[in-house]
Structures are given as structure tokens and as C-alpha cells.
Amino acid sequence: MSSVTLKQLSTQDQAAMLDREFVNHFPWYRSGNYFAKCLEENVQGKRVTLLAFCNEVLAGACHLLHHSEYPFFSHENIPEINDLNVFPEFRRRKIASALLDEMEKIAARDYTRIGLGVGLYQDYGNAQRMYTQRGYVMDGKGIMYNNVQVVPGQPVMVDDELLLYLVKDLGI
């Protein structure tokens, strides 16, 4: 059985490793200062970034944003799980579940609900199923594009910015 270890992003070396490994695993990811910015926000307490290691090899990462850019979550003080990614060769090993379990525990210290956004095309199918199985429900605000409500009858691009947001009661 694989051993999964979670660590909070805390060093420049970890940020550089994330950047390097995301380039190696995801063709859509462009190297830059994204993870350095995440490290800065972790230090400031604005975000929690967890790195998942499977048998001591980086397997993925996930973020908890204390202040979401999605207006409904921001207004309702709902933290957002953001950018949950598990590298393809590590999928189906409960790594995403371990990340979500820990993010929910962290959020439950200060919040009564937690939220996330999920894409609408087929690549997000496994995530859509996993989130609903974990008790996340639609927030009732409809489809968003770049955090703006989609207007019926207006065209939108079907890409990673077209999201449906879900919330979960943390049972506090």
C-alpha cells in the first residue's frame, strides 16, 4: 500500500519543485512565479498549500484560499479549495481524498462551510463525481465564467474558467 504524506508549502525549494514537476506533468502549466506567490501567501496566512507525497515522491498539491475571489464565497466568508491536482501516475490512490480531508479539517477550525469550483467538461468528470460523493452540493448560483455569472443566451468559452461552484457544511 502506498504511503501518503502531506506537507504545507514552506520553502523556496518546495515552490521550485512544484513549478518543475507541474511543467513535467501538465502540458497546460507554464513555468513562472505562481508557486513562489503561493509560498508568500502561505507565509502571510492568506492560503494553505498542501503538497502530497506518495512514498516520498511528489504526487500533487492543493490550495485552500481563506478569501475566495468568487463573489458568493467572499460575501458569505466561505473558504475555497482551489487547484486540486494529482499527477496522472498517482491517481486512483486516494491522494485527492487525503488532500480534501486535510483541507476540510483545516477549514473547520474557523469556518462552518467550505466551497470549491469544478469545471464542466469531460476532463472534470472524476472530480465532479468525487465532490458530490463527499457531500458537496451546488451553491445555486448557476454557471460562472471567470467568477461572473453566465447570462442565459450569451456564448461562453468552454474552458477551465467555466465553473460550477459547490459548498459543503463542515458540521460545526
Side-chain angles (χ1 to χ4, degrees), residues 35-49:
F35 289 109
K37 180 182 177 225
C38 292
L39 173 58
E40 183 179 311
E41 290 181 1
N42 273 259
V43 170
Q44 296 168 346
K46 295 179 179 179
R47 161 192 310 252
V48 175
T49 301

Side-chain angles (χ1 to χ4, degrees), residues 1-159:
M1 178 120 194
S2 300
S3 171
V4 177
T5 305
L6 304 179
K7 296 179 184 175
Q8 185 170 351
L9 175 62
S10 61
T11 69
Q12 288 288 350
D13 286 344
Q14 289 172 331
M17 176 182 52
L18 281 166
D19 187 66
R20 191 172 51 252
E21 292 301 318
F22 269 65
V23 165
N24 290 338
H25 287 89
F26 299 120
W28 48 260
Y29 179 78
R30 300 291 175 249
S31 183
N33 68 349
Y34 174 69
F35 289 109
K37 180 182 177 225
C38 292
L39 173 58
E40 183 179 311
E41 290 181 1
N42 273 259
V43 170
Q44 296 168 346
K46 295 179 179 179
R47 161 192 310 252
V48 175
T49 301
L50 293 180
L51 289 67
F53 295 88
C54 185
N55 297 325
E56 301 183 33
V57 176
L58 183 66
C62 184
H63 309 273
L64 178 69
L65 307 177
H66 288 287
H67 302 285
S68 174
E69 292 183 15
Y70 173 48
F72 175 70
F73 287 178
S74 179
H75 181 263
E76 296 293 317
N77 196 32
I78 299 171
E80 179 185 338
I81 291 174
N82 184 267
D83 266 351
L84 170 59
N85 287 289
V86 174
F87 302 147
E89 67 269 27
F90 292 102
R91 292 181 182 158
R92 316 260 341 131
R93 297 187 196 184
K94 306 244 181 245
I95 295 167
S97 292
L99 285 163
L100 287 169
D101 287 345
E102 189 62 24
M103 290 303 194
E104 290 170 4
K105 276 189 223 169
I106 292 168
R109 295 177 197 152
D110 298 308
Y111 305 96
T112 59
R113 294 183 289 174
I114 193 167
L116 52 80
V118 66
L120 299 180
Y121 58 92
Q122 186 175 2
D123 289 0
Y124 289 95
N126 289 334
Q128 293 165 357
R129 282 193 306 275
M130 179 179 63
Y131 298 147
T132 57
Q133 289 169 353
R134 291 182 62 92
Y136 287 83
V137 297
M138 291 180 276
D139 71 358
K141 305 297 177 193
I143 301 170
M144 300 291 158
Y145 191 84
N146 279 331
N147 291 321
V148 176
Q149 193 170 43
V150 172
V151 176
Q154 295 297 308
V156 292
M157 177 73 67
V158 177
D159 61 14

